[in-house]
Amino acid sequence: MDTFDTVVVGAGVAGLTAARLLSLAGRRVVVLEARDRIGGRLWTDRSAGFCVDLGASWIHGIEGNPLTDLAAAFGMDTVEFTVGAFQPDSRPIANYDPAFRPLDPAAARRWADDVHAADAELERIVAASSAGQSYADVAAQAVAAQGWDTDRGQRVWEFYRHRTEEQCGAHISDVAAHGLDEDAIVGDEVIFPGGYDQLAVNLAGGLDIRLDQLVRTVTWSEAGVRVETDAAAFEARNVVITVPLGVLKAGAIEFVPALPDVVAGPIERLGMGVFVKVFVQFPHRFWPDDVYAIRQQGAAGDTWHSWYDVSAVSGQPMLLTFAGGPRGREVEAMSDEQVVASVVSSLRQIYGDSVDEPVGSWVTGWGSDPLSRGSYSYVAVGATHEDHDAMATPVGGAVHLAGEATWSTDPATVNGALLSGHRAAERVLGRPIPLATLPKRQGGSVLGVES
């Protein structure tokens, strides 16, 4: 049986960060990864000759974000592509009404002004909301307070519904009233034309990583831990668990003894969203020039309501659309061919015969993946933001949880995962570790981009 100072479960960004920092501190560390690849929910497909990020895609706000300096240290090229917090304006958006007619600039401005007016009221209502209220509850109050007619109110209500689907991967009634409180982005957002998985590849450099190691049981005490996979067993003083929240909620790893309520409670209360990304490559561009996004209002946008022009990343005419929450689960139950046909059909309602058959497509399925069981975490009704951090409470001086779901100020982000791995490593060592050491090799040189 192999013995280590620390076993890290999961080779995503949180696990690789913790393992790298501990290794640089002189600890003997092994990383156990159930997949046949590293990266977790960072996953770049290069099969078409360009990069398609099927998992995380963005640095959400580059100012003050540790990922910004880290990506620069690794030599990762970036392209500015600011999404914002699902905004109604501020970028060139082609808006279409429920009858597939383009909104003229004045109409688009009136609609965006309606959203901003409701948002101002919503902020006050959320601040005064009681425990147990959902985002649907407070959004409905904010819309009703405007005194609009049914159609006008419906346009803003559906915007709120789509906002929670995109930001949380959940239905508006499943998200806590305070569920989007942390949804603030500072500075531009960027994506990686060379693939986000460069981050994982560089973090993994020099580490002892064992692939195809599905962890089944973690037995722990104050004396140490025993981690058992389908193929082997590992003993260590500490274990850092970085599997997605969905895996923990499903009880896929047995903890002996069971985790205490200070950790188990947040695992139960927090939600794990489902967010399907669909990339569709076309033979030529049919949507307006200089358009950042396409938005469809009304019932026709129930599932496919927003398309983003990601041609700058691929160098090919390409749109990215999403389906989240219950709609995402419905989409995941369809074949890829059915999904793409549905997306194309929706676009043809707007642009008619100018929409040719796609020449390439990619459909994600994180919700149906047994090694993730969802896309990212969110604050469900009955949970609080504090539950994210509470989930990472050290157990018995031996068990540490990390990952995006354990970071309260930036859950559902790669930087949240990175910072949680840093925190776990500091807790294992019992002392601060400068995050700036992360891109260093054991000998002190800086890692470089690999592919």
Side-chain angles (χ1 to χ4, degrees), residues 1 7 217-221 224-228 232-236 239:
M1 181 187 303
V7 173
T217 306
V218 174
T219 303
W220 61 275
S221 70
V225 299
R226 177 185 171 92
V227 181
E228 297 177 56
F234 304 81
E235 290 190 346
V239 64

Side-chain angles (χ1 to χ4, degrees), residues 194-447:
Y196 215 151
D197 67 346
Q198 296 170 94
L199 178 65
V201 168
N202 279 284
L203 289 173
L207 295 178
D208 181 358
I209 300 175
R210 315 283 177 93
L211 300 178
D212 299 309
Q213 293 284 341
L214 181 63
V215 171
R216 297 292 190 182
T217 306
V218 174
T219 303
W220 61 275
S221 70
E222 293 184 359
V225 299
R226 177 185 171 92
V227 181
E228 297 177 56
T229 74
D230 286 336
F234 304 81
E235 290 190 346
R237 177 65 189 87
N238 299 277
V239 64
V240 179
I241 306 290
T242 70
V243 300
L245 173 63
V247 174
L248 295 172
K249 291 178 74 69
I253 297 177
E254 180 185 11
F255 290 89
V256 183
L259 294 172
D261 187 62
V262 66
V263 173
I267 291 173
E268 181 179 356
R269 289 189 293 270
L270 290 168
M272 187 66 171
V274 171
F275 187 62
V276 179
K277 298 169 68 173
V278 184
F279 295 85
V280 186
Q281 179 189 355
F282 293 94
H284 65 83
R285 182 188 184 95
F286 54 82
W287 55 96
D289 291 335
D290 300 323
V291 162
Y292 155 81
I294 302 163
R295 292 263 170 87
Q296 174 63 60
Q297 297 181 340
D302 185 54
T303 299
W304 312 116
H305 52 82
S306 302
W307 294 265
Y308 296 90
D309 183 356
V310 292
S311 307
V313 182
S314 64
Q316 305 292 325
M318 184 178 290
L319 293 174
L320 167 62
T321 188
F322 309 115
R327 294 296 180 268
R329 294 185 186 278
E330 291 171 7
V331 168
E332 285 200 344
M334 300 162 60
S335 69
D336 287 359
E337 292 76 14
Q338 289 173 321
V339 172
V340 174
S342 177
V343 171
V344 171
S345 176
S346 293
L347 286 168
R348 284 176 177 157
Q349 288 182 296
I350 302 172
Y351 296 112
D353 293 338
S354 65
V355 182
D356 285 334
E357 284 299 308
V359 295
S361 60
W362 296 258
V363 181
T364 66
W366 296 105
S368 55
D369 183 339
L371 299 181
S372 58
R373 298 176 187 262
S375 303
Y376 40 72
S377 65
Y378 69 94
V379 180
V381 174
T384 66
H385 290 280
E386 289 73 22
D387 280 329
H388 286 295
D389 288 325
M391 184 177 149
T393 303
V395 177
V399 180
H400 304 264
L401 270 62
E404 55 84 10
T406 71
W407 196 258
S408 63
T409 54
D410 293 291
T413 66
V414 178
N415 52 293
L418 176 84
L419 291 169
S420 76
H422 179 216
R423 177 179 60 192
E426 289 188 325
R427 286 175 172 176
V428 168
L429 289 175
R431 60 178 174 81
I433 316 169
L435 193 57
T437 64
L438 196 55
K440 304 292 185 181
R441 296 184 186 273
Q442 290 286 0
S445 61
V446 178
L447 292 168

Side-chain angles (χ1 to χ4, degrees), residues 59-62 82-85 167 182-189:
I59 293 182
H60 291 291
I62 60 175
T82 301
V83 178
Q167 302 303 109
E182 87 293 335
D183 191 28
I185 293 169
V186 181
D188 289 337
E189 296 174 278

Side-chain angles (χ1 to χ4, degrees), residues 85-91 93-98 103-119 143 146 148 150-163 293-298 305-306 308:
F86 196 70
Q87 298 297 324
D89 52 9
S90 80
R91 302 287 296 208
I93 300 174
N95 293 289
Y96 293 86
D97 72 13
L103 297 187
D104 62 37
R109 182 71 266 154
R110 287 193 297 271
W111 174 76
D113 287 344
D114 282 352
V115 174
H116 291 307
D119 270 348
V143 172
Q146 308 305 315
W148 295 323
T150 300
D151 285 347
R152 190 175 176 186
Q154 181 62 27
R155 298 291 79 79
V156 176
W157 168 258
E158 67 194 23
F159 176 84
Y160 283 141
R161 200 197 97 194
H162 296 324
R163 176 187 279 174
I294 302 163
R295 292 263 170 87
Q296 174 63 60
Q297 297 181 340
H305 52 82
S306 302
Y308 296 90

Side-chain angles (χ1 to χ4, degrees), residues 4 16 45 84 107 263 374 438:
F4 298 86
L16 294 173
D45 186 326
V263 173
L438 196 55

